[in-house]
Amino acid sequence: MTKSDQNWRRDGVRADSAFDVVVDGYDAVYAAAASSPAFARLWADHAYGGPFPAEFAHISFLTYDELQAMAHFLALGEGTVLADLACGTGGPGLWIARQCGASVIGVDPSSAGLAQARKRAEQVGLADRSLYQLGTFASTGLGHGAADAAVSVDAIQYAPDKTEVFREAYRILRPRGRLAFSAFEVDPERVAGIPVLGVDPVPDYAPLLATAGFAIDSYQESVGWAVRVPATFGAVMEAMPTLADEMGEAAAASLQMEAAPTLQLQPYRRRVIVHARRLER
Ligand SMILES: C[S@@+](CC[C@H](N)C(=O)[O-])C[C@H]1O[C@@H](n2cnc3c(N)ncnc32)[C@H](O)[C@@H]1O
């Protein structure tokens, strides 16, 4: 992380230790993931739910079917702009941009994730149609109506204020712009021991979307998530010595910190796939 990123973390976001834990954890994992064949293998075997284009790989639970359905719903064309909120290393957003001829602006608080996203954009020939910048759900740095559509994959559950997530998505989307996301609904009673999920646990995103000014086209439980999530985190725990060897102690500890409580406390009610449209007020 550069000095200016550190300042941004301190000044651009309210001091929030749970937020720092999440971002430091992702920084460590993103910096090390590419050097771990064991991590790539176990994620592909358990998390993806089937084949997924390798050059757009991610470390979430998005299936190729879900990605294709999101791209279809977002209905982007040549010259349009997609915002990828919590883009991480950028795989899903870049896949959609390539399919549709759109540009992508990725926002994430992890500078290590953004560095990997820029590298990936070069590798898949989309460097001239992509931009990656530090930001959060609450403060994306994008202008009013800057995006024709927005996507977010498996990250909203971390946001310290979910109301802000949808307020900001509404602000950056053009009128009638579309939003597709996957996220975990959190069971508030189970997350007291998990600070990163316990700050603002939301068991149902639908009311927040309505309040922010979105109409929901579809709100569905993700197929097979209840098997894939424990299988993936179980495999992470089993492979811990190998992961520590290949990725280093910090990255392995971050993975363990996510895997162990997820397995023990089962904090997620459901993983959902949501397609929504920004209404005009
Ligand atoms: C499971 S990863 C998903 C990354 C990416 N969407 C993908 O599918 O490859 C979760 C991401 O959420 C980001 N994140 C965590 N808290 C955030 C916040 N408050 N605002 C925006 N992004 C956040 C993390 O840095 C991380 O990159």
Side-chain angles (χ1 to χ4, degrees):
M1 181 181 292
T2 66
K3 189 89 172 66
S4 70
D5 289 350
Q6 282 169 9
N7 290 340
W8 181 89
R9 287 271 301 280
R10 217 167 288 125
D11 302 331
V13 176
R14 285 189 306 274
D16 180 333
S17 62
F19 173 81
D20 282 341
V21 167
V22 172
V23 178
D24 290 347
Y26 275 105
D27 271 338
V29 172
Y30 287 142
S35 54
S36 176
F39 179 73
R41 205 167 37 244
L42 79 80
W43 214 268
D45 284 351
H46 300 287
Y48 290 135
F52 196 96
E55 66 273 40
F56 299 95
H58 55 73
I59 61 165
S60 46
F61 293 90
L62 188 72
T63 70
Y64 194 30
D65 282 351
E66 290 166 350
L67 176 61
Q68 289 171 297
M70 284 178 172
H72 181 73
F73 171 72
L74 294 176
L76 289 160
E78 295 275 335
T80 55
V81 176
L82 170 68
D84 185 353
L85 306 176
C87 63
T89 61
L94 282 167
W95 185 89
I96 295 171
R98 191 177 72 173
Q99 289 302 109
C100 308
S103 300
V104 62
I105 305 176
V107 176
D108 198 283
S110 164
S111 46
L114 296 172
Q116 297 292 329
R118 291 182 193 110
K119 200 160 144 189
R120 190 200 297 267
E122 290 273 351
Q123 286 164 352
V124 299
L126 290 176
D128 59 344
R129 275 180 16 216
S130 59
L131 182 68
Y132 290 99
Q133 60 189 48
L134 280 168
T136 63
F137 283 117
S139 179
T140 61
L142 302 184
H144 291 262
D148 296 287
V151 68
S152 184
V153 175
D154 289 357
I156 291 175
Q157 66 278 356
Y158 294 124
D161 182 340
K162 308 308 188 273
T163 302
E164 287 285 290
V165 173
F166 299 114
R167 182 202 52 74
E168 178 72 348
Y170 186 95
R171 189 188 69 75
I172 65 163
L173 280 170
R174 67 160 167 76
R176 294 180 299 284
R178 298 183 183 198
L179 168 66
F181 70 88
S182 58
F184 288 93
E185 295 175 338
V186 172
D187 183 338
E189 289 178 9
R190 296 193 181 176
V191 293
I194 312 179
V196 298
L197 296 173
V199 178
D200 180 21
V202 167
D204 179 0
Y205 295 103
L208 297 183
L209 281 160
T211 302
F214 286 92
I216 295 173
D217 276 52
S218 71
Y219 191 114
Q220 289 177 339
E221 183 165 358
S222 154
V223 175
W225 76 272
V227 173
R228 289 186 283 120
V229 171
T232 306
F233 287 133
V236 164
M237 295 305 288
E238 265 178 37
M240 208 27 82
T242 311
L243 296 178
D245 212 35
E246 293 182 355
M247 303 175 79
E249 294 294 336
S254 296
L255 288 171
Q256 186 164 13
M257 202 177 62
E258 173 132 30
T262 305
L263 290 168
Q264 280 158 21
L265 302 175
Q266 301 183 10
Y268 299 132
R269 223 173 70 83
R270 300 190 302 171
R271 178 174 179 271
V272 290
I273 308 292
V274 183
H275 296 169
R277 291 167 211 246
R278 179 196 191 281
L279 296 169
E280 297 208 52
R281 292 204 202 259

